[in-house]
Amino acid sequence: MFTNTFTETFGIEHPLVCGGMTAVGTADLIGAVANAGALGFLTALTQPTPEALVKEINRCRDLTDKPFGVNLTILPTIKPVPYDEYRDAIVESGITIVETAGGNPQPHLPTFKAAGVKVIHKAVTVRHALKAQQLGVDAVSIDGFECAGHPGEDDVPGLVLIPAAARALTVPIIASGGIATGAGLVAALALGACAVNMGTRFMATTEAPIHDNVKRQIVDNSERDTVIVFREFHNSARVARNAVSEEIAAVSREPGATFDDIAHLASGARARERVYGDGDVDGGLWWASQAQGLIHDIGSCRDVVDTILAEARQIITSTLPDQLGGGKL
């Protein structure tokens, strides 16, 4: 239905992406995303070891014969992460598409390029996107301020950031942040992107490996039900509004507060166990974007993809031409 630089470059049926999501990007979800014709990314660091990642890649291949990729997020950590070993596991497993995020991907690009791996780098500013392009990535996923996760410190929403990036870049652009509908896809294409990345929308699917309580909470939440945390520590993150994120925000605003004061609340292990595992939506910090206000049901990945494409087609072929008097200039 939609054919453009993104679909042709990456060999994907539809210009829809499910980017890497810690603890969510497992074979259960990504296999279903791939079968629906979109591009999904397993998250490498969700797996405890490179060897476990290889097993997860193989498990995903048991679920789909369509293309999928692996996300490698490069961030400072208290416990050193063997990034080179994860990278080598990705290459040796025959993965052909990688999404990098966080830090500079440069140290890993020569190995990926030598193996014929196409790299999409996630950026939150035009200047970082330009740097990634200069380094030789094949596409950039540009995150607007609406996104879940880390939107950076500039607070530029997608309506401005996407066309600004499109004007500056020559590689394909994937629009990310606050997108969950066919209208969002059409808007992103109009602004210069070739595809859209959706995380929160794919969390509210039957295949997402998280508790149903979390999925229902996403549906019940509005666009106002997120909180920006860690801003005081120059590591801003957008998360779902709940008791824990509200407490983190309050403690962080206190004079002299440090990250150590809220580290126990921000624990990823706590969120994976209490929220995603047990279904206590107030049990820990969990990621969600402002797109929550656009999500009104829990469907299969196939249903989500088909609905978005049908809505986008309707807008392009009927709604927009009607703005020109039935398509006549």
Side-chain angles (χ1 to χ4, degrees):
M1 183 184 298
F2 291 90
T3 301
N4 59 30
T5 306
F6 169 82
T7 59
E8 293 173 350
T9 299
F10 296 97
I12 304 301
E13 187 177 355
H14 307 305
L16 303 175
V17 177
C18 175
M21 292 186 284
T22 302
V24 182
T26 66
D28 310 270
L29 175 61
I30 303 311
V33 168
N35 285 331
L39 174 59
F41 288 94
L42 298 173
T43 41
L45 301 190
T46 292
Q47 304 305 318
T49 64
E51 293 76 18
L53 173 60
V54 171
K55 292 180 180 179
E56 192 69 4
I57 290 171
N58 291 333
R59 190 165 77 90
C60 198
R61 286 194 173 121
D62 288 339
L63 297 174
T64 184
D65 59 0
K66 294 188 176 183
F68 63 91
V70 175
N71 165 282
L72 185 65
T73 297
I74 306 156
L75 292 172
T77 56
I78 297 174
K79 180 180 178 181
V81 174
Y83 288 111
D84 290 358
E85 294 178 25
Y86 276 100
R87 178 199 66 212
D88 293 344
I90 292 167
V91 170
E92 291 165 9
S93 295
I95 291 294
T96 59
I97 308 172
V98 164
E99 178 190 61
T100 56
N104 190 333
Q106 193 280 328
H108 305 286
L109 290 179
T111 301
F112 286 140
K113 290 297 181 179
V117 176
K118 289 184 171 65
V119 177
I120 300 169
H121 185 66
K122 184 173 286 188
V124 297
T125 67
V126 174
R127 63 185 183 277
H128 291 147
L130 281 168
K131 178 63 175 180
Q133 177 177 272
Q134 179 186 353
L135 292 173
V137 303
D138 299 277
V140 168
S141 181
I142 194 83
D143 263 357
F145 183 56
E146 307 92 334
C147 72
H150 296 280
E153 309 300 318
D154 291 348
D155 300 357
V156 181
L159 195 62
V160 173
L161 187 60
I162 297 164
R167 182 176 183 180
L169 300 171
T170 58
V171 297
I173 296 169
I174 301 165
S176 181
I179 299 170
T181 65
L185 171 59
V186 174
L189 296 176
L191 292 171
C194 296
V196 297
N197 172 48
M198 301 180 295
T200 307
R201 172 63 271 200
F202 280 117
M203 288 176 68
T205 57
T206 54
E207 296 94 345
I210 57 178
H211 201 282
D212 283 348
N213 288 357
V214 180
K215 301 175 188 182
R216 287 193 290 267
Q217 190 65 53
I218 290 171
V219 171
D220 290 342
N221 280 350
S222 77
E223 66 278 5
R224 299 180 67 249
D225 288 310
T226 68
V227 176
I228 297 292
V229 295
F230 311 150
R231 169 137 292 185
E232 294 80 1
F233 315 119
H234 307 291
N235 189 29
S236 297
R238 186 181 299 280
V239 298
R241 185 183 299 278
N242 67 2
V244 171
S245 60
E246 293 277 21
E247 183 176 355
I248 287 175
V251 172
S252 299
R253 287 192 295 266
E254 295 176 1
T258 69
F259 186 80
D260 288 342
D261 296 324
I262 50 90
H264 63 292
L265 296 170
S267 165
R270 169 177 173 160
R272 287 191 291 274
E273 179 181 351
R274 300 188 188 181
V275 181
Y276 294 156
D278 297 338
D280 179 3
V281 294
D282 281 313
L285 201 67
W286 53 282
W287 310 103
S289 79
Q290 291 180 322
Q292 289 180 112
L294 307 175
I295 300 169
H296 307 299
D297 57 37
I298 301 166
S300 68
C301 289
R302 173 77 65 180
D303 290 340
V304 167
V305 168
D306 288 350
T307 298
I308 287 173
L309 293 173
E311 180 183 353
R313 182 179 179 85
Q314 170 68 21
I315 291 170
I316 291 171
T317 60
S318 180
T319 305
L320 292 180
D322 285 347
Q323 301 295 314
L324 299 173
K328 297 179 181 179
L329 291 174

